[in-house]
């Protein structure tokens, strides 16, 4: 079970990373959205580190 949870967290982290990259590339990135995505990515990273 632990590995499936870790795999899911890593996939979520990668998805958030892609969304952040896509938002940064936009002509006028939404700073509030970027901040939220980065916050969520950090929480996932911390959860991965705790495993």
């Amino acid at each position: 079970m632990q590995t499936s949870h870790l795999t899911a967290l890593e996939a979520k982290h990668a998805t958030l990373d892609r969304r952040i990259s896509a938002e940064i590339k936009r002509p006028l990135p939404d700073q509030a959205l970027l901040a939220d995505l980065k916050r969520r990515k950090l929480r996932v990273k911390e959860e991965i580190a705790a495993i």
Side-chain angles (χ1 to χ4, degrees), residues 31-49:
Q31 295 302 318
L33 177 60
L34 275 174
D36 180 56
L37 291 171
K38 288 178 180 182
R39 217 175 2 262
R40 290 167 50 192
K41 182 179 168 189
L42 180 60
R43 274 192 293 248
V44 171
K45 183 178 178 180
E46 289 170 347
E47 194 173 340
I48 289 170

Side-chain angles (χ1 to χ4, degrees), residues 8-47:
L9 287 173
E10 288 171 341
K12 190 173 187 178
H13 187 270
T15 300
L16 288 167
D17 196 36
R18 284 192 301 273
R19 289 185 63 194
I20 290 168
S21 294
E23 187 63 31
I24 289 172
K25 292 176 186 173
R26 289 184 53 210
L28 292 173
D30 182 341
Q31 295 302 318
L33 177 60
L34 275 174
D36 180 56
L37 291 171
K38 288 178 180 182
R39 217 175 2 262
R40 290 167 50 192
K41 182 179 168 189
L42 180 60
R43 274 192 293 248
V44 171
K45 183 178 178 180
E46 289 170 347
E47 194 173 340

